[in-house]
Amino acid sequence: MFQSIADRAVIVTGSSKGIGKGIAKVFASRGAKVALVGRDEKALKAVEAEIKASGGTAISIVADVSQIADVKRMVAATVEQFGGVDILCANAGIFPSAKLPDLTVETWDQTMEVNVRGSFLCVQAVVPHMIRAGRGRIVLTSSITGPVTGYPGWMHYGASKAAQLGMMRTAAIELAAHKITINAVLPGNVPTEGVSQLAPDYVKKMTDAVPQGRLGTADDVGFAALFFASDEASYITGQTLIVDGGQVLPESHMALEEMR
Ligand code: NAP
């Protein structure tokens, strides 16, 4: 299954670290040509070297997804190197924590700029190439936080992750006639560089809140993205796939205690 990924050109934004790095490695392991995107050149080059060392194909593009000129350059460089863009994984995102009394307009705007405007700019920039090719796959990295759940300190983040889905549903209709699908993966808690400062106590409690008893991995999310990006998923568009080990399922903590 998923042989269709081989030789496809895929842009993975936010692939210098964390979940995006995992998505990039999963796609590269299936033979895709991967354009790695982030602002940290050193980190991107390290991922590129790792993929190449495993026999994969990757290039690094330093770009800020919230900046239109960067996004246009990112797509142009991918088309130049790989001959097109078959798949976009719009994964780059930020999650600065601030509870309501301390949430500044700057933090609100910055979160929306990267998570929402960044996703929109990347989608808009790849679509003309996909229309020309007569097919395309777009996978957004949203979150359970916002679309399904809430968590103190992440009001702005949750809003941005829900906004991605609102965008996705109309884009799915607009793109359907061009055989382009757009879907979203909604990860639960995945220990990445971005959440590495969390206290061990928080991590333990989070793990305990997952029915499967473990946190997610970047690969878990990568495989879900791989499914949406495959030819086999051609009839699925505008949909979400929660990747959380069952975290959103318990009605209350009692449901978990019942099983422990
Ligand atoms: P992470 O470890 O902090 O990595 C974030 C990635 O996004 C990095 O590669 C970073 O690259 C890139 N990035 C941030 N701002 C960018 C910008 N303006 N332009 C280009 N790249 C940018 O975070 P993560 O945990 O992997 O999160 C990745 C995605 O998954 C996010 O959309 C997040 O909302 C979502 N998510 C994460 C979790 C979780 O538990 N970890 C759960 C649900 C959803 P540079 O530093 O090189 O710019």
Side-chain angles (χ1 to χ4, degrees):
M1 207 181 177
F2 305 149
Q3 298 307 318
S4 57
I5 297 298
D7 283 327
R8 295 277 158 87
V10 51
I11 294 176
V12 185
T13 69
S15 44
S16 59
K17 305 179 183 90
I19 290 175
K21 177 177 165 180
I23 294 173
K25 286 169 70 178
V26 164
F27 276 77
S29 73
R30 296 313 192 260
K33 299 175 288 190
V34 183
L36 304 161
V37 180
R39 295 157 307 169
D40 181 344
E41 186 169 21
K42 202 170 154 216
L44 285 173
K45 288 287 180 195
V47 181
E48 181 185 330
E50 223 180 295
I51 289 175
K52 286 179 171 167
S54 319
T57 305
I59 57 169
S60 298
I61 302 167
V62 177
D64 180 337
V65 295
S66 67
Q67 302 303 311
I68 191 164
D70 280 23
V71 171
K72 285 184 173 169
R73 183 172 47 74
M74 167 189 90
V75 174
T78 306
V79 172
E80 192 189 317
Q81 294 282 320
F82 295 155
V85 185
D86 300 302
I87 301 159
L88 165 70
C89 294
N91 165 82
I94 57 169
F95 31 88
S97 173
K99 292 198 180 78
L100 187 52
D102 304 316
L103 179 57
T104 62
V105 169
E106 288 74 23
T107 299
W108 177 277
D109 287 348
Q110 193 196 10
T111 306
M112 294 298 163
E113 276 171 22
V114 178
N115 298 1
V116 187
R117 186 169 78 186
S119 299
F120 149 63
L121 289 176
C122 292
V123 170
Q124 191 183 47
V126 297
V127 158
H129 299 278
M130 293 179 174
I131 290 177
R132 219 168 292 133
R135 63 153 200 255
R137 293 281 183 273
I138 300 169
V139 185
L140 309 174
T141 306
S142 174
S143 176
I144 57 170
T145 311
V148 188
T149 64
Y151 200 94
W154 277 308
M155 192 180 83
H156 49 307
Y157 173 72
S160 76
K161 293 284 135 177
Q164 286 181 303
L165 301 188
M167 187 180 87
M168 173 189 78
R169 293 187 177 109
T170 291
I173 300 170
E174 292 190 19
L175 298 173
H178 301 287
K179 297 193 171 60
I180 301 168
T181 68
I182 177 167
N183 294 287
V185 289
L186 277 58
N189 284 277
V190 181
T192 59
E193 287 88 334
V195 292
S196 59
Q197 77 287 3
L198 296 174
D201 183 47
Y202 173 94
V203 174
K204 186 183 174 321
K205 284 184 182 156
M206 268 300 168
T207 308
D208 288 346
V210 180
Q212 286 194 356
R214 70 167 178 91
L215 297 181
T217 65
D219 278 9
D220 290 326
V221 184
F223 286 118
L226 190 72
F227 168 64
F228 278 140
S230 67
D231 282 358
E232 289 85 346
S234 66
Y235 204 51
I236 302 170
T237 194
Q239 301 305 310
T240 57
L241 182 53
I242 293 176
V243 185
D244 74 342
Q247 187 181 329
V248 301
L249 298 176
E251 235 170 66
S252 75
H253 62 91
M254 284 158 63
L256 285 168
E257 282 159 16
E258 181 84 15
M259 296 306 297
R260 297 232 156 98

